[in-house]
Amino acid sequence: MSEAQGGGIEGALEALRSGFAARFAAAATEQALRDENAKILGKKGELTAILKDMGKVPGDQRKAIGEKANLVKQEVEKGFESCLKALAKQKRDADLHAAPFDLTLPGRAPAQRGHAHPLSIVRDEIVGIFRGLGFGVHDGPEVELEENNFTKLGFPPDHPAVDAQDSFWTKGGLLLRTHTSNVQVRAMTTQKPPMAFVAPGAVYRRDDDATHSPHFHQIEAFLIDENVTLAHLKGVLAEFAERFYGPGTPVRLRASYFPFVEPGAEVDIGCVFCKKPDGTRPGCNLCKKTGWIEILGCGMIHPVVFEQCGIDPEKYTGFALGMGIERVAMLRYDIPDVRLFFENHPRFLAQF
Ligand code: DAH
């Protein structure tokens, strides 16, 4: 009986040993392989079951059967590891030889796409119109010398804008530019006429309420050549109003004062909010019942500015205009508070 016990265990071990390789080879996935391995070597596995009767094996056979069991266990472990590796290699080869992943396929889930900020939309549209009229785009610094922001533009030293109350000054005669008109100086002091530029950018003033932000944006445009007249300015303004505010939008100039132009004017367009199909404008809240909306300042470049910038005012004339982007965008989108542009609230931005 004891001999039969020993022989039974040995036989069972032998059967396990000769059978496991085929069982592992039949496992097609890593999980199947792991399951098969657990069936043999796991706590409740076949090997444990076989060795359960070791106690009944006569003492003189026990050592040999124990060693045999260990050998079988090691062989199974080895076989499992090498099958695991083979499966991993198979999978890697399959991946490497699979058709390449197409990165250009559109995603399956509709992704939330970003879009331009409303101020950028308005800026790009305005700049696009001036470019269409032949203006080039000119850049200028936001931290500027006093002389480029004020002095060369004809501001007297006691002009209120030059005051610390109104502008952000740094040490050493530098300030955050209060308007994009500094680009006029930058262009005129570095190149010879003829020139026509549009200059969008950020500007800064000590102002902070629902319609004034300390940081806001303007677009400047200017054209300098021989024989430029107010008629050219009016032509450009009329064309701009047509293209930006719609066909038939009337334009009017009201005399006004800016140190760097003479004559200077403020420009109104016929109110686009209360315009009736017959072309009349009875007046609304946005135009304060006047039928007109102010959109920009402009004028003929002052001879003093030309002189300060080294351009001969006897030979050249030119016009300049400047407008606030926030104001245009607020009117267009009916936005009541300028601060909404800078709070970057997703619910606000998603509307454009
Ligand atoms: N720089 C002026 C401002 O910030 C706007 C302006 C007015 C620009 C008249 C011009 C101009 O070029 O001719 O209010």
Side-chain angles (χ1 to χ4, degrees):
M1 152 94 188
S2 58
E3 200 131 14
Q5 273 300 352
I9 291 181
E10 258 196 297
L13 284 173
E14 198 45 52
L16 197 60
R17 180 188 194 174
S18 57
F20 79 86
R23 292 167 64 183
F24 282 172
T29 63
E30 183 185 329
Q31 192 53 53
L33 180 65
R34 287 186 186 283
D35 291 348
E36 206 55 40
N37 186 52
K39 270 189 215 159
I40 301 172
L41 296 185
K43 269 192 189 146
K44 292 179 182 160
E46 294 162 28
L47 188 63
T48 315
I50 293 170
L51 298 179
K52 176 175 90 232
D53 289 336
M54 271 293 268
K56 296 176 190 158
V57 173
D60 59 339
Q61 291 173 30
R62 227 178 260 171
K63 185 165 176 250
I65 290 179
E67 277 169 4
K68 171 122 186 151
N70 255 339
L71 275 174
V72 171
K73 187 176 174 224
Q74 281 167 20
E75 262 182 66
V76 173
E77 278 169 352
K78 254 201 196 150
F80 170 69
E81 289 302 330
S82 72
C83 281
L84 205 57
K85 271 200 197 126
L87 276 180
K89 182 173 182 312
Q90 231 176 57
K91 185 173 181 309
R92 193 158 172 271
D93 286 348
D95 285 350
L96 284 174
H97 290 104
F101 179 68
D102 184 356
L103 289 169
T104 66
L105 277 178
R108 291 207 191 93
Q112 290 261 329
R113 295 188 64 185
H115 60 77
H117 189 279
L119 292 178
S120 303
I121 296 173
V122 169
R123 177 201 61 202
D124 292 349
E125 210 174 299
I126 296 173
V127 169
I129 289 172
F130 279 95
R131 292 190 57 176
L133 295 174
F135 289 72
V137 179
H138 204 300
D139 219 350
E142 290 174 31
V143 180
E144 182 59 289
L145 293 162
E146 174 176 7
E147 58 176 24
N148 292 344
N149 192 84
F150 290 131
T151 322
K152 286 185 169 155
L153 288 168
F155 282 77
D158 59 352
H159 190 283
V162 183
D163 200 279
Q165 296 290 315
D166 290 292
S167 307
F168 294 102
W169 289 88
T170 68
K171 293 196 182 98
L174 289 166
L175 78 160
L176 299 182
R177 68 174 172 187
T178 60
H179 52 188
T180 45
S181 304
N182 69 323
V183 182
Q184 289 184 43
V185 178
R186 291 267 165 185
M188 283 190 242
T189 50
T190 54
Q191 49 206 292
K192 297 251 159 294
M195 65 176 92
F197 287 115
V198 59
V203 301
Y204 303 84
R205 288 184 201 173
R206 287 187 182 269
D207 254 344
D208 201 359
D209 59 41
T211 51
H212 297 91
S213 159
H215 159 253
F216 61 107
H217 300 83
Q218 288 187 336
I219 292 185
E220 191 87 5
F222 49 97
L223 181 149
I224 302 163
D225 201 349
E226 294 176 37
N227 303 315
V228 177
T229 71
L230 197 65
H232 295 110
L233 170 57
K234 284 189 78 174
V236 165
L237 290 170
E239 195 57 34
F240 171 72
E242 284 274 315
R243 296 193 192 186
F244 189 78
Y245 290 102
T249 304
V251 172
R252 76 174 184 190
L253 274 68
R254 276 180 294 110
S256 184
Y257 173 75
F258 302 96
F260 39 92
V261 283
E262 180 57 36
E266 264 154 349
V267 175
D268 298 335
I269 52 157
C271 182
V272 284
F273 303 101
C274 56
K275 184 187 170 196
K276 296 270 169 281
D278 67 359
T280 58
R281 295 172 163 82
C284 62
N285 285 340
L286 285 156
C287 63
K288 302 196 185 84
K289 312 271 180 231
T290 64
W292 294 95
I293 288 193
E294 184 191 320
I295 55 159
L296 57 84
C298 67
M300 299 305 292
I301 296 172
H302 202 295
V304 162
V305 176
F306 282 135
E307 267 166 18
Q308 299 266 3
C309 295
I311 288 177
D312 182 0
E314 297 296 331
K315 185 169 180 199
Y316 293 107
T317 50
F319 65 76
L321 59 95
M323 70 185 105
I325 301 180
E326 279 76 2
R327 183 175 155 69
V328 174
M330 285 170 83
L331 286 170
R332 164 175 284 194
Y333 299 118
D334 196 10
I335 293 167
D337 192 320
V338 70
R339 290 168 287 211
L340 285 163
F341 287 125
F342 306 113
E343 286 165 357
N344 285 332
H345 200 295
R347 257 172 50 214
F348 171 75
L349 295 175
Q351 299 172 59
F352 302 94

